[in-house]
Amino acid sequence: MKNDQQYYMVREDVLSESMQKALEAKSLLDRGKVKTVAEAAEKVGLSRSAFYKYRDGIFPFHTMVKEKIITLSIHLEDRSGALSSLLTVVASQGCNVLTINQTIPLQGRAHITLTIETNMLQGDLKDLLSTLNRMETVERVEVVGTGA
């Protein structure tokens, strides 16, 4: 095994079916829904050998984010109360806002760069991002950086 391993972040839809099933099997094991690798592999329709091939090399994004500070890029509609609602959701999830940077709204949209501290985050980062993306005034949320 190489000492200078490189890591990549990829979207779920570009992973092979076997990789996606390995992630699903790992999740079943982690949550205690199954007791053995054989049971997890059978439940998701994956061979045990494929599970073992991928188990130590593929991880959900939220398990790789060990840092407590996350910077988000957010495209927000220019509407009264939109930023306030966004910050309320962030705070309700247990995050502490460290910095807010907002561009002047152009064509009815503003770009927000939000740096938050996540050590008190309720749930995981994926859930927070999903919640923000479901907001009516939010057009897009992306993680642009992490750090301690």
Side-chain angles (χ1 to χ4, degrees), residues 103-147:
T103 62
I104 294 173
L106 297 173
Q107 299 175 345
R109 286 159 187 73
H111 179 255
I112 312 291
T113 303
L114 187 66
T115 302
I116 57 175
E117 189 174 35
T118 61
N119 56 340
M120 299 299 285
L121 177 62
Q122 299 166 3
D124 62 32
L125 183 59
K126 182 180 177 182
D127 294 335
L128 173 64
L129 296 175
S130 292
T131 301
L132 294 175
N133 271 310
R134 283 193 307 270
M135 292 181 67
E136 185 179 333
T137 57
V138 172
E139 292 185 1
R140 186 173 71 218
V141 177
E142 297 173 322
V143 175
V144 293
T146 62

Side-chain angles (χ1 to χ4, degrees), residues 34-48:
V34 295
K35 295 186 187 311
T36 67
V37 168
E39 193 179 350
E42 182 179 343
K43 190 162 187 135
V44 300
L46 182 70
S47 70
R48 284 186 316 140

Side-chain angles (χ1 to χ4, degrees), residues 61-62 64-74 90 95-100 113-119 121 124-126 128-129 132 141-148:
F61 178 71
H62 67 87
M64 297 302 291
V65 179
K66 299 195 184 332
E67 295 85 0
K68 301 297 182 197
I69 297 174
I70 306 293
T71 300
L72 303 173
S73 171
I74 304 166
V90 169
C95 297
N96 181 36
V97 175
L98 300 175
T99 65
I100 303 171
T113 303
L114 187 66
T115 302
I116 57 175
E117 189 174 35
T118 61
N119 56 340
L121 177 62
D124 62 32
L125 183 59
K126 182 180 177 182
L128 173 64
L129 296 175
L132 294 175
V141 177
E142 297 173 322
V143 175
V144 293
T146 62

